[in-house]
Amino acid sequence: MPISMKKASHETHFYAWSHPVCSVKLASQEFNLDKYDECIHLTNASIQQKYFHQNSNENLPNHHMWNLGTFILYLENEYGKGDVWDKSIFPEINRSLRKIAHSMAYHTELTPGRFEIFGCDWIITEDFKPYLLEINRPPCLGIYSPVSVSVCGKICEDLVKVVVDRMMNGEEDTGEFEIIYQAKIDDLKRGSLRRASTVSMASDKGSHIFNRRFSML
């Protein structure tokens, strides 16, 4: 999820973008709550690369990653729900990211032309609900497998389109990135001041009540 600020129509805007291309990271061993080995419960590429040749399932790729197409095919073959990613999982991910972007916008140094890219890790439950595990700043763009080559390459290619090409020309193609949240920086700054004022008033009130109670003891 890249965050960018752009000068347009004499107004400065804050944008949050989302990209659908991703990798699905797999553990080398079958899930088991009776064991706490890292190879079972941590699917980070930096962890799983130590277990590339210790697979418990012959269908597991040696690099322990799927691309999105393989994951969708798995959902179709195993559950008959090949469309659940587009209809449910990814829209729910974007709804969560939209709320996060709105919240973090008030705590971000808002400077025209600045951008950052974040990597979000999700876990998907048996009923196809995505839950956010963590947000990495910045994400790992290391090359661990053929999947990471294509995923990282595509995201970096489209990132340049967003933060360079679109900065020069607002009509330029942005690849597969889509805007999921936008706001005027001036509005965000005014909102931050109002929030700070509210917190300050609440803090002063709390201090006053505390002092009054203390003096009564």
Side-chain angles (χ1 to χ4, degrees):
M1 178 181 69
I3 301 297
S4 68
M5 275 65 75
K6 174 177 174 290
K7 195 77 172 179
S9 303
H10 306 291
E11 295 175 337
T12 305
H13 287 71
F14 171 98
Y15 294 92
W17 303 70
S18 174
H19 202 289
V21 172
C22 63
S23 61
V24 177
K25 297 176 181 177
L26 309 167
S28 61
Q29 304 297 314
E30 294 287 344
F31 183 74
N32 188 341
L33 286 177
D34 294 326
K35 296 181 179 180
Y36 300 100
D37 305 58
E38 64 177 9
C39 61
I40 297 175
H41 298 285
L42 298 178
T43 59
N44 311 58
S46 58
I47 298 295
Q48 287 299 320
Q49 66 177 336
K50 297 187 294 185
Y51 305 96
F52 276 177
H53 301 290
Q54 300 180 30
N55 298 341
S56 62
N57 190 317
E58 62 180 11
N59 295 319
L60 188 69
N62 286 333
H63 45 76
H64 301 171
M65 286 187 190
W66 283 345
N67 60 28
L68 181 58
T70 302
F71 179 55
I72 291 175
L73 185 61
Y74 167 79
L75 293 174
E76 176 61 35
N77 292 338
E78 291 293 320
Y79 303 99
K81 291 184 175 292
D83 60 350
V84 72
W85 173 264
D86 290 327
K87 289 186 175 181
S88 178
I89 298 175
F90 192 56
E92 184 60 34
I93 286 175
N94 279 340
R95 277 192 289 271
S96 297
L97 292 178
R98 192 173 295 113
K99 294 176 182 178
I100 293 169
H102 175 73
S103 177
M104 68 178 288
Y106 292 96
H107 307 284
T108 301
E109 182 181 347
L110 302 172
T111 306
R114 175 185 176 182
F115 78 93
E116 292 190 55
I117 182 169
F118 301 84
C120 304
D121 292 346
W122 303 82
I123 187 170
I124 299 174
T125 61
E126 291 180 341
D127 57 349
F128 311 110
K129 302 293 185 183
Y131 285 87
L132 180 65
L133 294 178
E134 64 176 351
I135 297 179
N136 297 295
R137 175 194 184 200
C140 175
L141 296 175
I143 304 303
Y144 296 97
S145 71
V147 172
S148 60
V149 169
S150 61
V151 169
C152 295
K154 177 59 177 173
I155 290 175
C156 289
E157 176 186 341
D158 289 352
L159 179 64
V160 173
K161 294 178 181 179
V162 171
V163 301
V164 178
D165 297 349
R166 190 173 184 272
M167 191 75 170
M168 305 298 293
N169 180 356
E171 302 302 319
E172 286 290 338
D173 173 56
T174 58
E176 295 189 53
F177 273 116
E178 62 173 314
I179 296 173
I180 57 173
Y181 176 81
Q182 61 179 306
K184 293 181 181 179
I185 289 182
D186 287 344
D187 291 344
L188 293 173
K189 288 182 176 179
R190 283 193 291 269
S192 294
L193 290 174
R194 286 196 296 270
R195 289 187 175 196
S197 176
T198 301
V199 170
S200 177
M201 291 174 62
S203 177
D204 291 343
K205 182 178 179 181
S207 176
H208 173 70
I209 293 173
F210 174 79
N211 289 334
R212 185 174 64 184
R213 288 179 177 174
F214 182 81
S215 64
M216 292 173 63
L217 294 177

